[in-house]
Amino acid sequence: MKSTKNIQLIRKRLPEICNQGFIETMRKGNTGVGYTFEELWGLDENNNSGADLDGEIEFKATRKNKKCKVTAFTQSPVWKMGLRDVIRAYGNNDQERDNRINWFPSLSSKPNPAGLKLKIDNEDCVWIVDRRGRKIARIHLHVLKHRFEMKLSNALLVYAESRRINKVEHFHYDEAYLCLDIDTQPIRNLILEDKLVVEPRVYLNTDTDKLRDRGTAFRLDGKYLRELYSSVEKIL
């Protein structure tokens, strides 16, 4: 159940944030756009499975005019190959660190340069497979639907103009959509149509054989995310 109070708060606060114009990023890098928006709102950083605003509405902020996808959530698949073996077979040597192999692919239903792709079987399992059809990892479609429902049952999707001022990135949050009542049925088609991609983010230290797993991200363009909701209201 959406709180009318929270919806009214969004309608009030977003124009106030927009009217501040360009705001200096509060964190360097790709995550700065979301972190800065949450700081302006007054939210604590949230890495759990629930939504940002009172567990009801998730905030997603992204840069405009760039091919920037929104990270819906991170969810580890079940690995059928050892993850170290996967990284050694399909990863790339770090250009700055001789002792590190990175594996940061973007996986869709079309093969990537390494020959890896997503495939959905008759039992609704989403597989990562190689060009020979060897199964590397799987996650069931119902798990993805559950994660969307838990994290993004309702969402506030915010876009920001990005500009460098004195060599520092600044954001102007001037476009936003309030998306209510998610329908997860189209998720299968989003995968098959390459609109929802899977991006593991892991690397291996070859000196110590230690893994660093930053999570497997499920990402899509904001316009495709909006397609999942029965109600979409443009706030800005």
Side-chain angles (χ1 to χ4, degrees):
M1 182 71 68
K2 283 82 62 186
S3 165
T4 301
K5 178 188 70 174
N6 283 333
I7 294 174
Q8 291 175 342
L9 180 62
I10 285 170
R11 291 174 179 154
K12 175 178 181 292
R13 289 282 289 123
L14 276 178
E16 294 173 351
I17 291 173
C18 177
N19 290 338
Q20 294 182 49
F22 281 92
I23 305 295
E24 181 176 336
T25 185
M26 299 178 190
R27 174 184 288 174
K28 294 181 180 179
N30 291 335
T31 61
V33 62
Y35 180 82
T36 302
F37 179 78
E38 291 181 1
E39 286 292 300
L40 290 172
W41 188 280
L43 285 180
D44 293 329
E45 192 170 17
N46 173 14
N47 293 315
N48 61 33
S49 60
D52 290 315
L53 186 58
D54 293 343
E56 290 186 339
I57 301 173
E58 178 73 3
F59 289 175
K60 291 294 180 184
T62 189
R63 296 166 178 82
K64 294 172 68 174
N65 303 322
K66 291 187 178 181
K67 294 181 179 179
C68 289
K69 293 181 172 64
V70 175
T71 298
F73 50 80
T74 60
Q75 177 67 45
S76 295
V78 177
W79 297 99
K80 304 298 286 186
M81 285 180 62
L83 189 48
R84 287 176 176 80
D85 294 333
V86 173
I87 296 171
R88 290 190 179 98
Y90 303 107
N92 299 295
N93 292 324
D94 193 294
Q95 295 182 353
E96 298 179 358
R97 304 173 183 85
D98 293 336
N99 65 342
R100 179 166 147 173
I101 305 174
N102 300 323
W103 191 50
F104 305 142
S106 184
L107 305 173
S108 69
S109 65
K110 296 177 181 177
N112 72 353
L116 301 177
K117 67 177 184 178
L118 303 179
K119 181 180 179 180
I120 304 178
D121 67 15
N122 292 332
E123 296 180 352
D124 278 347
C125 272
V126 182
W127 289 93
I128 301 173
V129 299
D130 67 11
R131 56 172 52 94
R132 293 178 294 175
R134 180 170 56 171
K135 295 176 176 178
I136 294 170
R138 65 173 170 80
I139 187 167
H140 202 281
L141 198 61
H142 76 74
V143 174
L144 299 184
K145 290 181 178 181
H146 176 71
R147 294 289 282 116
F148 268 99
E149 290 168 354
M150 287 293 293
K151 190 72 173 175
L152 289 158
S153 59
N154 306 289
L156 177 65
L157 183 60
V158 183
Y159 293 90
E161 293 282 358
S162 173
R163 177 184 298 175
R164 289 202 170 270
I165 302 173
N166 297 325
K167 299 183 179 180
V168 178
E169 190 172 23
H170 288 63
F171 301 114
H172 182 204
Y173 299 93
D174 62 353
E175 183 178 352
Y177 300 86
L178 180 60
C179 308
L180 303 178
D181 299 322
I182 196 167
D183 175 10
T184 60
Q185 288 305 115
I187 289 174
R188 168 191 273 269
N189 287 337
L190 289 179
I191 295 172
L192 295 176
E193 295 168 4
D194 304 321
K195 296 176 180 178
L196 176 62
V197 299
V198 179
E199 298 185 352
R201 300 173 296 182
V202 294
Y203 64 82
L204 177 67
N205 185 310
T206 56
D207 289 340
T208 64
D209 203 38
K210 288 186 177 180
L211 287 171
R212 174 68 185 277
D213 188 349
R214 294 179 173 171
T216 298
F218 290 77
R219 309 188 72 221
L220 69 170
D221 190 290
K223 65 183 178 183
Y224 301 134
L225 179 62
R226 296 201 299 271
E227 289 178 6
L228 295 175
Y229 293 89
S230 62
S231 170
V232 177
E233 175 187 354
K234 186 172 183 180
I235 304 294
L236 293 175

